[in-house]
Amino acid sequence: MARHGGRGWYGRVVAAAVGVTAVAAATSVWTAQAGQSGGHQAAARPAAPKATPVAATIVHASDGGDRAVNITIDDGPDPLWTPQVLQVLRDNGVKATFCMVGTQAQAHPDMVKRVVAAGHRLCDHTVSHDTTMDKKSEAYQSQQILDAERQITKASGGVRPMYYRAPGGAFTPYSRHLAASHGMRPLGWNVDSKDFERPGTAAIIATVKSELHNGPTLLFHDAGGDRSQTVAALRTLLPWLKQQGYSFGFPVR
């Protein structure tokens, strides 16, 4: 999603993320200590298969070809708005890519599973949606990306994110290559619907129509506030895109 400042909702997410990371670290230490004491060693768990690395360049193209668009939905999942977005997509026979914030996925695993069950794809949108990630250390970037990958994968029941979208487009060469090495293609966008600003349903529709020539990947949101305008805009835009001869695909991997 585009960069925005002063978001109280994300401030709370950051606080939650810090707590999650601290608990995870403490658990790791306890587990290691427990394994070294008492003369009994826990049975080794089978290692999860490694993801196949993908290209580290930021993708915009659609796997559906020149007359296809990619619908991407950021910042969720949200228990109120994600089901409504899913219903509009279902009504129009459209599959989308959901770029999820790790703590949101952790809080709403049922929503993550519903997204996967409906045939949509998952995307890592970091733990706490820090739009200044490109100014932070590599250690911080790694924590944000890989912790979110684990949170989303666990919430989904084992389905890994296929893409990584930096909050606000705050990619770095390091973050792109790290994500790609974990099988997550860096994902950009061509059309920012500006729905996050809640400019009105008509304005969201007009923005998408006027910017569609920029490329196939469209950006919407299903969390971070009242998304009723987004839901209403999608109800109009998805049939309109079909009428214009567009099909719907996923971002190229």
Side-chain angles (χ1 to χ4, degrees):
M1 58 169 287
R3 293 179 190 257
H4 300 277
R7 291 181 182 165
W9 182 77
Y10 286 121
R12 292 192 294 274
V13 171
V14 172
V18 171
V20 168
T21 303
V23 170
T27 301
S28 177
V29 171
W30 181 89
T31 302
Q33 292 172 342
Q36 295 169 358
S37 62
H40 296 285
Q41 217 170 5
R45 294 182 181 179
K50 289 186 176 180
T52 302
V54 293
T57 52
I58 299 172
V59 68
H60 299 87
S62 177
D63 64 7
D66 293 340
R67 292 294 291 177
V69 295
N70 307 317
I71 304 298
T72 65
I73 313 290
D74 282 18
D75 296 0
D78 180 273
L80 176 60
W81 302 111
T82 301
Q84 295 184 48
V85 170
L86 286 172
Q87 185 62 54
V88 175
L89 293 169
R90 184 183 306 114
D91 291 344
N92 289 276
V94 173
K95 303 302 181 188
T97 300
F98 284 77
C99 298
M100 296 186 173
V101 173
T103 47
Q104 289 293 106
Q106 188 177 53
H108 308 292
D110 55 328
M111 289 290 98
V112 184
K113 291 180 176 68
R114 284 181 62 177
V115 167
V116 171
H120 305 292
R121 289 186 180 179
L122 301 177
C123 171
D124 180 332
H125 204 34
T126 74
V127 172
S128 55
H129 199 280
D130 183 352
T131 59
T132 66
M133 272 187 61
D134 53 343
K135 311 298 183 186
K136 303 293 179 62
S137 70
E138 291 183 354
Y140 176 83
Q141 294 176 55
S142 177
Q143 176 265 322
Q144 285 285 309
I145 295 167
L146 299 185
D147 281 6
E149 179 193 19
R150 286 188 284 269
Q151 289 169 331
I152 294 166
T153 301
K154 181 178 179 181
S156 72
V159 179
R160 280 193 172 105
M162 299 178 71
Y163 308 92
Y164 164 64
R165 173 173 277 167
F171 289 101
T172 65
Y174 173 80
S175 68
R176 289 190 293 102
H177 284 88
L178 176 66
S181 72
H182 282 252
M184 298 183 290
R185 183 73 186 266
L187 175 59
W189 64 85
N190 304 108
V191 180
D192 183 354
S193 70
K194 301 293 198 313
D195 63 334
F196 198 94
E197 299 173 1
R198 296 198 290 276
T201 299
I204 295 169
I205 293 169
T207 296
V208 172
K209 289 182 176 181
S210 66
E211 294 188 7
L212 194 55
H213 65 277
N214 289 337
T217 300
L218 283 55
L219 171 61
F220 301 93
H221 300 84
D222 64 340
D226 184 339
R227 300 274 71 90
S228 57
Q229 294 177 10
T230 301
V231 174
L234 287 169
R235 283 200 189 101
T236 296
L237 283 167
L238 298 183
W240 178 84
L241 286 163
K242 289 182 179 181
Q243 291 166 8
Q244 304 308 304
Y246 288 96
S247 59
F248 298 87
F250 290 112
V252 169
R253 288 259 300 154

